[in-house]
Amino acid sequence: MVLRLLLKILLCLYLSTPVCAWAVSPTAAETAVEVPATPLPGLSQLNKKVAVTEDFAAQADKQLQSLMDLSKQQEVMTGYAEQFRKLIEEIKPLGSPDNWYADRLNTYLTKFSQLRQNLDNLQQKIALRLLETETIHAQLQTEDDFWKAWTAELNRQDTPAPKQPLRDVSALLKSLSAKLEKTTAALLPFQESLGEFQREVSLAENNLSTALGKLRQATFRKNTYSFFSTDFHQLFTANLGQQTQDGLKAALKFDRSYLNENGVLIGLMLICFLLLAVFMLRSRQRLQEADEWHFILSHPLAAACFITVAFFWFWFPAPPPILSFTFLLLTTGSATAMAVPLLENLRQVRVLVLAAIVILLTSAFQQIALPQPLFRIYLACLAIIFIPLLVQQVLLSKKIRQPGEGRFFRAVLRIIVLVLGISLIAQFAGYLNFSSWLIQASFETGTVLLLVKMAVLVMSGAIVSGNNLLARSGPVFFREFGAELSLRLKKLLTFFIYGFSIFYLLPVWRLFATLNEGWSYFTELTIDVGEFSLSMQMLASAVIAFYLALQASWILQAISDAQILTRRRVDRGVRDAVKKLIHYAVVLIGFLFALSLLGLGLQNFVVLLGAFGVGIGFGLQDIVNNFLSGLILLFERPIKVGDGILIDGEYGTVTRIGLRSTIVESLDNAELIVPNSQIISQKVTNWTLSNRRVRITLPVGVAYGSDLEKVLSILTEAGAEHPDVLQEPKPTALFLQFGNSSLDFELRVWIKNVDNRPRIKSDLLLYIDRRFREADVEIPFPQQDIHLRSVFPGYGTTPTQK
């Protein structure tokens, strides 16, 4: 009994401790369940582990119910299916997409692309749900393996385990597994049907994309009959009127459900228009300080309309034709009204209004899909009417020469006349695609350039207004450097806006199908030099990085000068040295970063330094010497900006210490460019190294017999009376020596600023001369006695010389 009791006690102690490792014999391993690497708990932790498993099952059950609920997704998919059906019904009566205009192809291609993108997003959400079910399944499998391994271990040890908790856990896991299978069975069919729907939409999208590609490829091909062909005249049948009516009905057809779906967006657009209009009307006087906003403030309602519609237009998902034309009408009309103040005279205003009318009329005909013969007649009439009118405008512009009307306006008119003439010839010859594309691309280019100019003016005005506001109440930096900062920001903004407009015009002129395609072409364009490959994207990134480093250098210099150094009353030379060091450090960092963007690591940079060293050995010694000398000047500061120095016998003021040379401004206002190495290696007199105080020495000579005490008194009085002469040290008059023709004196005075030395010296000399005259003190001049022998005729000559 005692032995049995001891065995039971040892067994309980063994089971109550964590198992760290399991030694399974080869025979037992063939039949035992795989044991996890983590330790198995003892019987004392059974209830806790059961509670953890039940909590996992409850949360998983709740999550599976949410994942299996596809009511909203099915409703959304039904809406997409209805939208797809309506699009198919709309394009069905329009015939083959190969005969459509580019605008119609782009419009419906955008709609199908938006629908496909929505389906992709829905498919991604379903995929995420399936991924969540896989995560639950993996965790469920882990739980099941754990309980099987734990039960097997208890059985191996002949340990009696409570059966009811194990049965409850097993039933709970089986129920969860069944729900998991049910959820997966619900998600997979929905995913498959969604995939089939995606393939249908992609097929329709690909058909339109293919038709658009064919249209772009056929731009320079003859694709219809010429005006002189009998086949062209046979196209004018009674069906043209019916086709026009059908196209007009299709363009005017408007689905009210679109308003319901985008009602919030339309309401927000109206609210923004009202707020912007009220703001411009009330702030017109305050905003007039920016000259760039003059054209906006002249027509505040048109500006508010243009900004609001142009911003919200891109947020409307595939707007119907009538809504798109309404947006075009609003933006074109408001842009024309705003552009009027930018033009120079009434003649240009008329041309702008005619161009706006042509854009709207052409867009309207394309929206209603005007039959091809009628559209060709329209384009021909457009050219026939406008060519004489524009030629007349050119001739009148030459003859009248109104103020402000220059060659640029006449050049634009000539380009329009040329475009219309080529388009007319192309229409007569049967090149419909080329003719319509040429007119559309020309007018769209003019519109884009006008909008770009307006955008640049708007952003420039915002920069000026913001700078003025900060200059009034902001830091000192904006008051001192605000104008320069505005100029730099304007240049940067203009570059990016015009650069984007160029990329936008690439697909307009059909150089590329889309903007993304053009961007991808230029960014992926590479130049291979051996094993090194340089892409345009890398080059552009490096140039931009280095340019931004230069701008950052200027900003840091300006901030340090205005906000830190000036407030602490740091010497000007120290300020310039600090700014130069900041400039060199930032530019060096930007240069290294630009090299990294080019794919050149530090090891390549070492190679460049080696090549640079070879270049130094062959002829760059002077450049490097001047550069290192410039660094010495900045650190050691033997001279600094503002110092008065004497170099090569000429006095001047240091105005700039550069990377290679130092600029010295002479008293004649001439600028001496002195290499830095010359200042370091040669003798240079710096009159203002430690301070600008300097001594003036005036030598004076008086005639023998003069009253020496009176002379000394006059000289001392001259130094004491001058207001710019320092009284400490006191002016000193000295009698130096008995000269050859005069008694030599010297006046020594000190002044505050060496720059005033010539003026003060002149004042002292004038004062001394005046006082000497009043005191009858004679200033002698050098005299020499010349003794001449008496000259008689023939004296000094020999008889032979006679």
Side-chain angles (χ1 to χ4, degrees):
M1 294 293 293
V2 176
L3 182 59
R4 185 178 297 178
L5 180 61
L6 289 175
L7 289 175
K8 289 183 177 180
I9 292 174
L10 291 174
L11 182 61
C12 291
L13 291 174
Y14 178 74
L15 293 177
S16 62
T17 57
V19 180
C20 298
W22 295 87
V24 182
S25 62
T27 306
E30 296 177 358
T31 58
V33 179
E34 184 181 355
V35 179
T38 56
L40 294 173
L43 288 175
S44 60
Q45 300 182 10
L46 176 63
N47 293 331
K48 182 179 179 181
K49 182 57 183 175
V50 170
V52 172
T53 303
E54 291 177 348
D55 184 57
F56 158 69
Q59 293 181 1
D61 184 33
K62 184 178 180 181
Q63 189 175 2
L64 289 175
Q65 290 180 1
S66 176
L67 295 176
M68 191 170 53
D69 184 12
L70 297 173
S71 57
K72 293 183 178 180
Q73 285 71 21
Q74 289 177 350
E75 183 179 353
V76 171
M77 185 175 175
T78 303
Y80 290 157
E82 181 65 20
Q83 183 179 352
F84 179 69
R85 184 186 61 81
K86 291 181 179 179
L87 288 175
I88 295 298
E89 291 180 355
E90 288 182 11
I91 66 175
K92 198 171 184 179
L94 302 178
S96 175
D98 295 336
N99 299 325
W100 291 3
Y101 298 110
D103 286 350
R104 174 176 286 180
L105 286 171
N106 286 321
T107 299
Y108 281 101
L109 184 59
T110 302
K111 292 181 179 180
F112 280 106
S113 299
Q114 184 67 38
L115 180 58
R116 180 188 52 77
Q117 185 176 359
N118 294 336
L119 291 175
D120 291 342
N121 295 335
L122 183 59
Q123 184 70 271
Q124 186 177 5
K125 293 179 180 178
I126 300 301
L128 290 176
R129 291 196 176 198
L130 287 172
L131 182 61
E132 291 182 18
T133 60
E134 293 177 2
T135 303
I136 296 175
H137 181 269
Q139 192 171 357
L140 175 63
Q141 188 65 38
T142 302
E143 290 286 334
D144 187 57
D145 292 342
F146 171 81
W147 285 103
K148 288 181 180 179
W150 193 61
T151 304
E153 179 61 22
L154 293 179
N155 292 334
R156 189 182 68 84
Q157 298 176 2
D158 294 331
T159 302
K163 297 181 179 181
Q164 188 60 39
L166 295 178
R167 290 176 183 174
D168 293 342
V169 169
S170 178
L172 189 63
L173 294 178
K174 288 182 180 179
S175 175
L176 183 61
S177 178
K179 292 180 180 179
L180 185 61
E181 292 179 0
K182 185 178 179 181
T183 303
T184 305
L187 291 175
L188 288 177
F190 185 80
Q191 188 185 41
E192 292 178 1
S193 60
L194 183 59
E196 294 178 359
F197 187 20
Q198 282 181 294
R199 286 189 288 272
E200 293 181 8
V201 176
S202 298
L203 180 60
E205 182 185 6
N206 291 335
N207 292 335
L208 296 180
S209 180
T210 302
L212 184 60
K214 292 180 180 179
L215 180 61
R216 294 183 182 278
Q217 293 176 359
T219 300
F220 301 98
R221 299 176 185 172
K222 183 177 181 180
N223 57 333
T224 186
Y225 306 113
S226 66
F227 279 174
F228 307 101
S229 174
T230 57
D231 295 329
F232 172 73
H233 299 287
Q234 292 177 0
L235 296 176
F236 290 89
T237 61
N239 294 330
L240 293 180
Q242 185 63 36
Q243 292 178 10
T244 305
Q245 292 180 4
D246 294 341
L248 182 60
K249 290 180 181 179
L252 295 177
K253 186 179 180 181
F254 187 76
D255 190 3
R256 294 184 178 180
S257 61
Y258 187 86
L259 292 179
N260 297 331
E261 296 173 358
N262 300 277
V264 177
L265 192 60
I266 295 175
L268 184 61
M269 182 177 68
L270 294 176
I271 293 174
C272 290
F273 166 71
L274 294 176
L275 293 177
L276 190 59
V278 172
F279 171 76
M280 288 187 175
L281 289 173
R282 291 189 175 183
S283 306
R284 182 184 298 184
Q285 297 296 331
R286 182 169 57 87
L287 297 176
Q288 284 182 350
E289 61 182 9
D291 296 335
E292 293 85 354
W293 284 359
H294 173 68
F295 74 101
I296 292 180
L297 300 177
S298 301
H299 300 85
L301 295 179
C305 178
F306 176 79
I307 295 174
T308 305
V309 176
F311 177 78
F312 280 92
W313 192 347
F314 298 98
W315 295 95
F316 281 89
I322 184 64
L323 185 59
S324 297
F325 184 76
T326 303
F327 287 161
L328 178 64
L329 178 63
L330 293 175
T331 52
T332 304
S334 57
T336 303
M338 287 192 300
V340 169
L342 300 176
L343 302 179
E344 298 171 346
N345 50 55
L346 185 60
R347 193 183 311 281
Q348 298 180 9
V349 174
R350 292 173 181 172
V351 174
L352 177 64
V353 173
L354 289 176
I357 293 174
V358 170
I359 292 174
L360 291 175
L361 196 59
T362 305
S363 177
F365 286 152
Q366 290 178 343
Q367 289 287 350
I368 66 175
L370 191 69
Q372 187 184 101
L374 297 180
F375 189 72
R376 293 184 63 188
I377 295 297
Y378 160 72
L379 293 179
C381 292
L382 186 68
I384 293 173
I385 294 173
F386 275 88
I387 287 177
L389 291 177
L390 295 178
V391 171
Q392 183 183 13
Q393 295 295 323
V394 173
L395 296 177
L396 289 176
S397 176
K398 285 184 176 181
K399 182 178 180 180
I400 299 177
R401 294 188 179 276
Q402 295 184 0
E405 189 170 77
R407 297 180 179 179
F408 179 76
F409 175 67
R410 291 193 293 271
V412 172
L413 293 182
R414 292 191 182 98
I415 292 174
I416 297 176
V417 171
L418 178 62
V419 168
L420 292 176
I422 296 175
S423 174
L424 180 61
I425 296 173
Q427 281 293 342
F428 275 97
Y431 291 86
L432 172 61
N433 288 341
F434 175 72
S435 176
S436 58
W437 162 74
L438 187 60
I439 291 180
Q440 182 178 358
S442 300
F443 280 98
E444 190 169 350
T445 300
T447 303
V448 169
L449 294 179
L450 180 61
L451 295 179
V452 165
K453 182 178 180 180
M454 294 167 61
V456 169
L457 291 175
V458 169
M459 299 303 295
S460 300
I463 292 174
V464 172
S465 297
N467 175 67
N468 293 337
L469 180 62
L470 292 173
R472 288 192 292 266
S473 59
V476 182
F477 166 75
F478 291 99
R479 290 196 292 271
E480 294 187 3
F481 299 97
E484 179 68 18
L485 179 63
S486 299
L487 183 61
R488 290 173 178 264
L489 290 177
K490 287 180 182 179
K491 291 181 179 179
L492 186 63
L493 179 70
T494 303
F495 172 77
F496 278 108
I497 290 180
Y498 276 97
F500 176 78
S501 66
I502 292 174
F503 271 98
Y504 177 83
L505 291 175
L506 291 178
V508 172
W509 288 98
R510 297 189 180 178
L511 299 176
F512 299 96
T514 60
L515 179 63
N516 293 332
E517 181 181 340
W519 175 260
S520 300
Y521 174 80
F522 284 104
T523 54
E524 296 175 0
L525 185 62
T526 58
I527 300 175
D528 296 328
V529 181
E531 297 181 356
F532 179 70
S533 180
L534 177 64
S535 66
M536 292 298 296
Q537 183 178 3
M538 296 166 57
L539 181 60
S541 301
V543 172
I544 292 175
F546 189 71
Y547 175 77
L548 293 179
L550 294 176
Q551 303 307 314
S553 169
W554 178 84
I555 292 175
L556 291 177
Q557 292 180 65
I559 291 177
S560 63
D561 189 14
Q563 301 293 134
I564 301 174
L565 301 177
T566 303
R567 287 186 175 183
R568 297 186 178 182
R569 298 181 180 179
V570 179
D571 184 72
R572 178 184 175 185
V574 177
R575 295 203 308 266
D576 291 332
V578 170
K579 290 191 293 183
K580 286 293 182 183
L581 293 177
I582 291 175
H583 173 70
Y584 294 151
V586 175
V587 170
L588 178 61
I589 294 173
F591 178 71
L592 294 177
F593 184 67
L595 288 181
S596 66
L597 291 177
L598 290 175
L600 298 175
L602 292 179
Q603 65 277 10
N604 304 104
F605 187 64
V606 171
V607 175
L608 289 178
L609 287 179
F612 189 64
V614 174
I616 293 175
F618 278 102
L620 299 178
Q621 299 98 329
D622 292 339
I623 296 177
V624 176
N625 188 13
N626 289 326
F627 172 74
L628 296 178
S629 300
L631 295 179
I632 294 174
L633 291 177
L634 290 177
F635 283 100
E636 187 179 342
R637 299 179 62 238
I639 65 170
K640 55 185 181 294
V641 175
D643 281 355
I645 64 174
L646 186 65
I647 185 168
D648 290 340
E650 189 169 0
Y651 177 83
T653 303
V654 178
T655 58
R656 188 177 72 86
I657 301 176
L659 190 67
R660 188 193 65 84
S661 61
T662 298
I663 307 300
V664 180
E665 184 177 346
S666 68
L667 297 177
D668 297 329
N669 204 25
E671 292 182 337
L672 305 177
I673 302 175
V674 184
N676 292 331
S677 59
Q678 182 177 348
I679 298 177
I680 294 296
S681 60
Q682 297 184 8
K683 179 181 178 180
V684 177
T685 302
N686 191 340
W687 289 82
T688 59
L689 178 60
S690 57
N691 57 69
R692 303 191 68 82
R693 192 175 65 172
V694 69
R695 191 182 73 172
I696 299 178
T697 302
L698 297 178
V700 178
V702 297
Y704 279 90
S706 301
D707 188 349
L708 301 185
E709 296 295 334
K710 183 181 295 185
V711 172
L712 290 174
S713 174
I714 292 174
L715 293 179
T716 304
E717 178 185 344
E721 292 294 332
H722 198 287
D724 292 333
V725 173
L726 297 177
Q727 299 305 313
E728 186 62 35
K730 294 182 178 180
T732 304
L734 300 174
F735 176 50
L736 299 181
Q737 64 181 353
F738 295 95
N740 293 330
S741 58
S742 65
L743 301 172
D744 296 335
F745 291 81
E746 191 173 84
L747 174 62
R748 301 174 180 177
V749 297
W750 290 85
I751 61 175
K752 294 180 179 180
N753 195 338
V754 66
D755 294 337
N756 298 329
R757 185 168 175 267
R759 178 180 60 82
I760 296 175
K761 185 176 182 179
S762 175
D763 294 343
L764 292 174
L765 292 175
L766 289 174
Y767 183 86
I768 293 171
D769 179 70
R770 181 173 58 80
R771 293 289 290 118
F772 277 3
R773 293 178 186 276
E774 293 175 354
D776 294 330
V777 177
E778 182 182 355
I779 300 177
F781 51 88
Q783 298 180 2
Q784 292 182 351
D785 295 333
I786 302 176
H787 300 278
L788 299 177
R789 297 179 181 179
S790 300
V791 180
F792 296 98
Y795 180 82
T797 60
T798 62
T800 306
Q801 290 173 336
K802 291 181 180 179

